[in-house]
Each structure stands twice: as structure tokens, then as C-alpha cells.
Amino acid sequence: MAAMTTALGLMSGTSMDGIDVAALRTDGETIVERGPSLFVPYDDTFRARIEAALQTAKVIEQRDQRPHDLAELERDLTQRHAEAVHAFRAKFPDWQPELIGFHGQTVLHRPAEGLTVQIGDGALLAQRTGTPVVYNMRAADMVAGGQGAPLVPAYHVALAKSLPETFRRTPTVFVNIGGISNVTYVPASGDPVAFDSGPGNQLIDQWMQREGGLAFDADGVAAAKGSVHQAIVEAYLQLPFFARPAPKSLDRGDFDLSGVQGLNLNDGARTLAALAAEAVFAARKQMPETPKLWILCGGGRKNPHISGDLQRLAEADGGEVVAAEEVGLDGDATEAEAWAYLAVRSTRGLPLTWPTTTGCDRPVTGGVLAQP
């Protein structure tokens, strides 16, 4: 039996709102003891710097290029992650990590070109925290012909085996609704099937910022006053991405607000929430069997319109939709937990991805280990 490792996962996702920190004790396979988690928000100024970096990064042609001010941003982002680790250690002294899984911040993702860029200096983080760090976990998959995303499915498989008995129904689908949504189909046996399914919170957030001066639609309040323009939803769903076979992944810039141009604030928010739900549900067309259980993770599960729309669609299809908390999980911490789990798998040389999750030509491990 493999030894257990206490690992800390650090995730800064497409919503760019801050750092999720989560602890696990795991063997990197089937045993997962979930620990505490912490969220460290970015201030508005730093978040704006990351948003600006998405434009700067468009000229990158090699993974290690850091044009203009990206090198400075990378140092500052790494320092914020180090501070988040210190804050976690101070708050949860019983969960001192032996290993850190570091995602960094994605600023460019072009799978068709075999290029994905996450800023974040793993060696510097190891030095600042005094702890070994596994980072750069997507690159090996892309070398093997994969999309480099999603990587969380390996963890979803372990979670599916640990669900309470009443929720062990296969096939189970884990849905992560972040800026971009992704799904992991876990069958009764065999490898998982996973892919990005479409826009999650990203377009709603952009819409609220542009039209309402707000960071996001908290609790779906704006959408509650609006109506769904179904023709607009259908137009988005006709975009080429949805017809492409899985595995497939998205960059933040692959969808925009042109479809909702001219709507009022509330109708736009409600229509984009409907799109987020329908894009997830449309993913079932690329799953081998109809899912019996959909488990919602990520910030988008808190939008009652996204979760409610998906619930209605799934129920009509013979499925059930539940929030992560209903099955004993933490929907805010799942991705960060996954990065802790993947770090342990990386040190053991176990696969992080499979042909059915990213399109790689064989099961692939990955990651670079930096010692303090």
C-alpha cells in the first residue's frame, strides 16, 4: 500500500478572483482524506493586471516566453500564492503540507497549436514556502498530443468511489462551473471521459462588469428580473465548438458577448445563465450513456438559474442534479483539492490524463518537481 502524503493544492482559475487553497491526505489513487480549505481574494487592482495579461500573452509563441510585464506579474502572482500558503499554515496547523500542487494562472491556451501558458514560478514558490512544489502539469499532456485540459478528471474518479452509498450511481458526471465549464463522465468501469463544455460564469461576469459595473451577478439577482431569449441561446449553441467531438478544451477568449448585444442588463444575465446550463447539458450527447447523477462544483453552482435550468433539463432526461455539498463535498474547493491530488500522482509517476480526457495518445503523467 502506498504511503499517504499531506498535500496542498493551489488554484487560480479563469474567474481570476483569487486563490483557492485546499489540503488532502492521499495515496494519489483511491484513498482521499479531504482537509480544510481557504480562499484568498485578489484585490481589484491585481485582478485588472491579470486581465490585462490576457491581452499581453496573445503574442506568446513559446511556453517560457514572458513578454512585456508578464515576468513581473509572474513574480507577484507567485508571491501571493506563497502568502496564501503561509496564511493556510497559520490557520490550520494540523495540516502542514509535505507537497504543494501549483496550477498558476492560465493566460493563454491554444491546444490546436500545442501551446498552453500558466504563469507562476514553481521554483520560487518552493523557495518561499520551504516545501517541494509540483507545477507545469499540463505540458507533458500536450507533448503527447493532448489538449492539456481538463486535468481534474483523475480526481473526480477518486471522488466518485468515495461518495455516500446513496449517491453511488453510475454513470456520474462531475460538472465544474467556473469561468469555463467542464464535465467529467465517470462510468461504472473504464477510463473517465472529460472535456470543456462551454462558457460558465465568464460571460455573465463580463456582462455584469460592462453593463452594470458589478464584478458578477451575486445570487443571480439581476437574472431573476430578466427573461431568457431562447433564440440567442440557440444561436450560441450552433457555434462550431459544440459540434466538435470530445476531447476538447476552451480558451477564455473563445466566446464573447456579441450574441447578447442590445439586451438590457437583466435579460442578458438571465440569457447567459440559461446558456451556461444548456451548454453543460448538451455535453451529454458526447457521453457513452445517459448520466444518472450530475454533481455541481465551482462558483456557478451558486447561481440558482444555472443550477435550476440544468436540474429541469436533467430530470427530463432521467437524471438528478445535486450540489457538491449534498454529497459531502466542498464545491468551492474541489479544483484546488484536485491540484493537491495530482501533485501526489505526479511524484508517483501515475497518469494525470488519458486519451478519453484530453486526447493524448496514451495515459500521461506530468509535472515538474521543484525542491526548496
Side-chain angles (χ1 to χ4, degrees):
M1 181 173 150
M4 298 284 280
T5 301
T6 301
L8 208 57
L10 306 177
M11 182 70 200
S12 181
T14 50
S15 295
M16 303 180 296
D17 53 352
I19 303 165
D20 286 304
V21 186
L24 284 183
R25 289 194 182 106
T26 182
D27 61 353
E29 293 189 73
T30 57
I31 302 173
V32 175
E33 182 187 343
R34 295 173 45 252
S37 60
L38 183 70
F39 177 66
V40 181
Y42 293 138
D43 58 76
D44 290 344
T45 302
F46 191 72
R47 181 174 177 170
R49 287 178 64 192
I50 298 175
E51 288 183 350
L54 302 180
Q55 298 302 314
T56 305
K58 287 181 177 178
V59 302
I60 291 177
E61 295 179 351
Q62 300 291 332
R63 219 186 126 71
D64 58 356
Q65 288 178 331
R66 298 293 184 266
H68 306 296
D69 57 353
L70 272 189
E72 181 184 358
L73 177 62
E74 183 168 53
R75 281 194 303 274
D76 292 348
L77 181 107
T78 305
Q79 178 58 33
R80 277 170 167 75
H81 278 72
E83 291 166 1
V85 171
H86 294 317
F88 181 91
R89 282 179 160 149
K91 188 170 183 178
F92 304 108
D94 293 340
W95 284 82
Q96 298 301 318
E98 305 163 67
L99 184 69
I100 292 172
F102 181 30
H103 177 267
Q105 180 69 53
T106 298
V107 293
L108 184 73
H109 186 67
R110 292 185 189 147
E113 300 171 24
L115 181 62
T116 187
V117 180
Q118 287 75 43
I119 57 171
D121 187 333
L124 178 61
L125 184 65
Q127 176 190 325
R128 295 278 170 90
T129 60
T131 307
V133 172
V134 178
Y135 67 106
N136 196 14
M137 290 194 229
R138 299 186 188 273
D141 176 79
M142 298 192 94
V143 170
Q147 298 259 328
L151 263 66
V152 180
Y155 182 52
H156 287 155
V157 172
L159 285 183
K161 294 173 182 173
S162 69
L163 292 175
E165 199 67 46
T166 53
F167 289 104
R168 286 190 200 168
R169 303 175 214 154
T170 52
T172 290
V173 175
F174 285 85
V175 183
N176 179 60
I177 308 174
I180 291 166
S181 293
N182 54 65
V183 295
T184 302
Y185 170 95
V186 182
S189 61
D191 295 339
V193 175
F195 50 95
D196 285 350
S197 56
N201 300 319
Q202 168 196 327
L203 293 182
I204 304 171
D205 294 351
Q206 290 174 4
W207 177 255
M208 295 303 295
Q209 289 160 22
R210 195 183 84 181
E211 301 295 322
L214 299 168
F216 60 100
D217 186 12
D219 299 319
V221 170
K225 302 171 188 170
S227 300
V228 176
H229 289 245
Q230 191 61 34
I232 292 176
V233 174
E234 297 300 331
Y236 271 109
L237 294 174
Q238 294 306 310
L239 292 172
F241 171 80
F242 294 104
R244 272 174 35 209
K248 54 186 175 179
S249 61
L250 282 165
D251 184 45
R252 186 179 164 83
D254 287 344
F255 289 89
D256 61 35
L257 295 173
S258 57
V260 287
Q261 195 71 34
L263 295 187
N264 64 45
L265 175 70
N266 300 329
D267 283 5
R270 183 66 185 90
T271 299
L272 291 170
L275 169 64
E278 295 212 25
V280 167
F281 186 65
R284 84 198 188 292
K285 296 173 186 173
Q286 303 205 33
M287 297 173 185
E289 295 178 46
T290 302
K292 293 180 181 174
L293 184 68
W294 303 71
I295 300 174
L296 303 188
C297 306
R301 79 192 189 288
K302 298 176 183 175
N303 183 312
H305 311 287
I306 298 176
S307 57
D309 287 355
L310 185 55
Q311 177 78 56
R312 284 190 293 275
L313 292 163
E315 283 182 353
D317 200 40
E320 181 184 3
V321 173
V322 295
E325 288 70 19
E326 294 177 63
V327 296
L329 304 177
D330 181 342
D332 289 325
T334 306
E335 270 203 295
E337 290 171 2
W339 242 253
Y341 178 80
L342 291 167
V344 176
R345 286 184 73 83
S346 174
T347 61
R348 295 190 54 203
L350 295 170
L352 308 187
T353 58
W354 293 267
T356 52
T357 61
T358 65
C360 52
D361 56 23
R362 64 189 184 282
V364 178
T365 190
V368 176
L369 178 64
Q371 296 288 352

